[in-house]
Amino acid sequence: MVVEVVTGEHADRIFHALADATRRDIVARVIRHAESVSALARHYPMSFAAVQKHVAVLERASLVTKERRGREQIVHADMTVLRRAARLLDAYEEIWRERVARIDQLIAED
């Protein structure tokens, strides 16, 4: 079974996007349920335009998609991309666990 992870520039865009607390909160909200950009803007002490810019960063990273419904743009989480990013972090965790196990083994040999 091939496990896909994000790599290269795409990984850079994802983790840059997630480095901001507001964007992480937006992702968490739209994972629970899709919201319009205007509804999202009501949650933050910033302008509608600022929230639109945050959503655009998330969209460039493929973490969210927008769907036009009438005059509104509905923001949805892209769970496939989020899962691929999580797999990359899981791979790093596995590397770390292997290193710790190796250190434990070396200590036990002494």
Side-chain angles (χ1 to χ4, degrees):
M1 177 178 151
V2 175
V3 176
E4 287 188 51
V5 298
V6 293
T7 58
E9 290 181 21
H10 190 203
D12 293 344
R13 283 191 305 275
I14 288 170
F15 291 108
H16 166 76
L18 294 174
D20 181 86
T22 299
R23 291 192 289 265
R24 287 191 307 273
D25 190 66
I26 290 170
V27 170
R29 287 178 188 282
V30 299
I31 285 172
R32 288 191 286 276
H33 58 84
E35 287 192 49
S36 69
V37 176
S38 57
L40 286 168
R42 289 192 285 272
H43 297 289
Y44 307 102
M46 62 184 71
S47 69
F48 175 80
V51 172
Q52 277 184 311
K53 288 179 182 180
H54 281 298
V55 171
V57 170
L58 293 168
E59 192 173 28
R60 279 192 299 276
S62 303
L63 293 166
V64 301
T65 59
K66 290 189 297 192
E67 166 197 4
R68 182 160 288 288
R69 247 188 241 159
R71 293 180 354 155
E72 293 191 312
Q73 293 192 22
I74 309 302
V75 181
H76 302 268
D78 187 327
M79 295 307 297
T80 300
V81 173
L82 286 164
R83 284 185 190 102
R84 288 179 183 160
R87 285 187 199 116
L88 177 59
L89 293 174
D90 290 344
Y92 289 147
E93 180 182 4
E94 183 61 29
I95 291 167
W96 181 250
R97 289 183 183 279
E98 288 171 4
R99 290 183 66 186
V100 170
R102 179 68 181 134
I103 290 169
D104 288 344
Q105 181 183 8
L106 290 171
I107 291 170
E109 289 173 3
D110 280 346

